[in-house]
Amino acid sequence: MTNRFQVTDRFADGAQYIGGRLRAGTSGREHSVIDPATGKSVYTYALASTADVDEAVAAAKAAFPAWAGATPGERSDALHRLAGVLAEWAEDIARVESLQCGKPLKLTTEFDVPGTIDNTAFFAGAARHLQGQSAAEYTGDHTSYVRREPIGVVGSIAPWNYPLQMAAWKILPAIAAGNTIVLKPAELTPLTSLMFAQAAKEAGIPDGVINIVSGSGRVVGEHLVGHSDVVMTSFTGSTPVGKRVAEVATATVKRLHLELGGKAPFLVFDDADLEAAAQGAVAASLINSGQDCTAATRAYVQRPLFDAFVARVAELMETVRVGDPFAPGTDLGPLVSHRHRDSVAGFVERARGYATVVTGGEAPGGELENGAYYRPTLITGAAQDSEVVQSEIFGPVLVALPFDGDDEGIRLANDTPYGLAASAWSRDVYRANRATREIKAGCVWVNDHIPIISEMPHGGAKASGYGKDMSMYSFEEYTQVKHVMFDNTAVAAKDWHRTIFGDR
């Protein structure tokens, strides 16, 4: 295995970042960050306790007045400096992300880290554009206008599949709008969230604006979401856990943003470019080892193209180079953990009883046998109501099913509880446009699948949650809209008072 980044010294003081400094958790329990490519521990830290959450929330609450009172230009300048620090640290951040997640280094260096830097630069600009409606005299006697104000302390929870990017998606719009935040990363992958917070301090963002508590979801996560001083929660993760987050958050009447599971359809019409669709399906189903809530998981292919599509996708999948994330040429790294790899394998093994595994469907042996690897897998012959079609597998597994007419294809694409992302493949603009209208998802790509950009919103529908990350739409999540109305008459006894007392 290639030499890996050494993290122990960098985080020697602990994996909690509270009030501008690293410190150890006080739960009395330890957790190890495991390199999923080797199965070996790379860092052991003390988990946070509820007392640590209280301290982090207190630090965020104390920092809020000054940060909220900073001008948009001052917050913008700080975020521009943060983008610069992240760019300087890019190589180290990419290596740590690959180490804790098993992502190939080419993915972290060309996607995760540059995307996060771009997102930071976007919100640096967006911070100057927190605007309400223009003033007007809607009654004739009053002037009205709308303010957008920060809401307070945000308590957010990020997942393990994109630890750096998801931390940024939670932190950036919140602090650009003038809020402060306590973020709980997944306990499997806290390291790049901590580096992001350290970069913010280096950029001059005040202590307490960004705080990180690394601990378990049941203890730390629930205490954070239910905390009386936290006014909003943003959660990204599975739909079942999202339901629990909603239960805890609504008990204290918090604003809530949920980005949950997905089961993205990949709809290929019979006039599509077959090679483009096959190439796109392999890339979109295998990104991040399939551990992506927008990854293509259900390929519906119109019957005239179905056999050729299956053959070509299988051929391409067999060329994918599975290996050490740090080795040159590796296309697909391990899954995040052996436990998760076994979960993915379980879906495939159960599917053998009712479907056909065309390629893959196994963990590689040899020098990779100690890692949480799983080969790219293509399944056909599954029924629409089967487990592999309806449930989120979250691994490098694509299920291909045929359809006949356009009505059937769109109906099947919508036939799961989820609605996060989808794609439609066709040379016919009217056909593709119909698919974008009728597929129920937060994002529908045409003749591509996966690209995201900072300027456009990301979020789902149905059981995939609600609310938006990225883009100016995210400020709707992190600001309070306030109506201000001025009387312009200087009249003491106003005409409308007679409806309450007296005569005209």
Side-chain angles (χ1 to χ4, degrees), residues 219-251:
V219 176
V220 170
E222 290 204 12
H223 190 67
L224 177 62
V225 172
H227 201 289
S228 59
D229 287 332
V230 169
V231 298
M232 175 187 166
T233 289
S234 177
F235 170 80
T236 297
S238 72
T239 296
V241 177
K243 291 178 180 178
R244 177 58 184 161
V245 169
E247 289 175 1
V248 176
T250 54

Side-chain angles (χ1 to χ4, degrees), residues 340-363:
H340 184 59
R341 191 271 311 277
D342 293 345
S343 172
V344 171
F347 278 98
V348 177
E349 290 308 306
R350 291 189 295 273
R352 293 185 192 275
Y354 56 80
T356 300
V357 177
V358 178
T359 189
E362 63 181 3

Side-chain angles (χ1 to χ4, degrees), residues 290-447:
Q291 300 167 129
D292 187 310
C293 48
T294 63
T297 61
R298 300 177 289 139
Y300 296 103
V301 185
Q302 205 151 15
R303 206 170 295 274
L305 293 185
F306 183 75
D307 290 343
F309 176 88
V310 168
R312 183 60 176 145
V313 168
E315 180 181 37
L316 289 169
M317 280 188 169
E318 289 165 6
T319 70
V320 172
R321 298 163 295 186
V322 180
D324 177 9
F326 291 88
T330 291
D331 297 318
L332 193 75
L335 281 81
V336 73
S337 69
H338 288 76
R339 179 179 179 182
H340 184 59
R341 191 271 311 277
D342 293 345
S343 172
V344 171
F347 278 98
V348 177
E349 290 308 306
R350 291 189 295 273
R352 293 185 192 275
Y354 56 80
T356 300
V357 177
V358 178
T359 189
E362 63 181 3
E367 63 180 12
L368 302 180
E369 65 181 356
N370 292 327
Y373 293 92
Y374 201 74
R375 293 196 185 282
T377 300
L378 177 64
I379 295 174
T380 61
Q384 176 65 16
D385 62 356
S386 63
E387 181 186 46
V388 289
V389 175
Q390 293 294 323
S391 299
E392 189 173 31
I393 300 173
F394 225 56
V397 180
L398 177 66
V399 183
L401 304 92
F403 71 93
D404 291 306
D406 291 16
D407 290 350
E408 181 189 17
I410 292 173
R411 178 181 63 78
L412 292 171
N414 283 328
D415 185 27
T416 72
Y418 300 104
L420 185 58
S423 63
W425 298 73
S426 173
R427 291 185 174 97
D428 185 328
V429 64
Y430 299 103
R431 205 176 202 183
N433 199 30
R434 178 194 174 189
T436 65
R437 291 194 310 272
E438 296 186 14
I439 293 175
K440 305 304 181 187
C443 175
V444 181
W445 294 281
V446 176
N447 295 327

Side-chain angles (χ1 to χ4, degrees), residues 135-164:
E137 287 69 44
Y138 294 100
T139 70
D141 292 337
H142 305 82
T143 296
S144 288
Y145 68 90
V146 169
R147 292 173 55 88
R148 280 195 176 275
E149 298 179 344
I151 57 177
V153 177
V154 178
S156 294
I157 301 175
W160 49 256
N161 58 330
Y162 289 101
L164 174 67

Side-chain angles (χ1 to χ4, degrees), residues 28-225:
R29 297 173 52 232
E30 290 190 335
H31 186 84
S32 291
V33 176
I34 304 297
D35 177 355
T38 64
K40 296 179 180 179
S41 172
V42 295
Y43 178 67
T44 299
Y45 66 95
L47 290 163
S49 66
T50 56
D52 296 324
V53 174
D54 292 341
E55 187 175 339
V57 172
K61 185 177 180 180
F64 174 71
W67 184 247
T71 67
E74 289 168 339
R75 292 198 294 266
S76 175
D77 288 347
L79 289 173
H80 276 300
R81 294 194 300 270
L82 174 56
V85 175
L86 293 171
E88 291 174 10
W89 294 7
E91 182 178 352
D92 284 352
I93 295 172
R95 295 182 72 81
V96 173
E97 193 78 330
S98 290
L99 180 66
Q100 68 178 354
C101 299
K103 298 171 184 275
L105 195 58
K106 68 176 180 178
L107 182 65
T108 58
T109 56
E110 297 180 30
F111 181 73
D112 296 72
V113 175
T116 300
I117 295 169
D118 181 75
N119 210 230
T120 306
F122 171 82
F123 280 108
R128 290 179 176 266
H129 296 282
L130 285 170
Q131 299 170 345
Q133 290 180 325
S134 300
E137 287 69 44
Y138 294 100
T139 70
D141 292 337
H142 305 82
T143 296
S144 288
Y145 68 90
V146 169
R147 292 173 55 88
R148 280 195 176 275
E149 298 179 344
I151 57 177
V153 177
V154 178
S156 294
I157 301 175
W160 49 256
N161 58 330
Y162 289 101
L164 174 67
Q165 286 195 311
M166 296 296 101
W169 286 13
K170 303 302 183 194
I171 293 169
L172 291 169
I175 68 171
N179 303 291
T180 56
I181 189 168
V182 179
L183 176 78
K184 191 199 90 66
E187 56 265 45
L188 291 175
T189 55
L191 301 179
T192 49
S193 298
L194 295 167
M195 294 180 79
F196 189 93
Q198 290 175 316
K201 184 179 180 72
E202 183 77 8
I205 293 176
D207 294 346
V209 172
I210 299 171
N211 305 274
I212 310 292
V213 286
S214 305
S216 73
R218 287 188 180 275
V219 176
V220 170
E222 290 204 12
H223 190 67
L224 177 62
V225 172

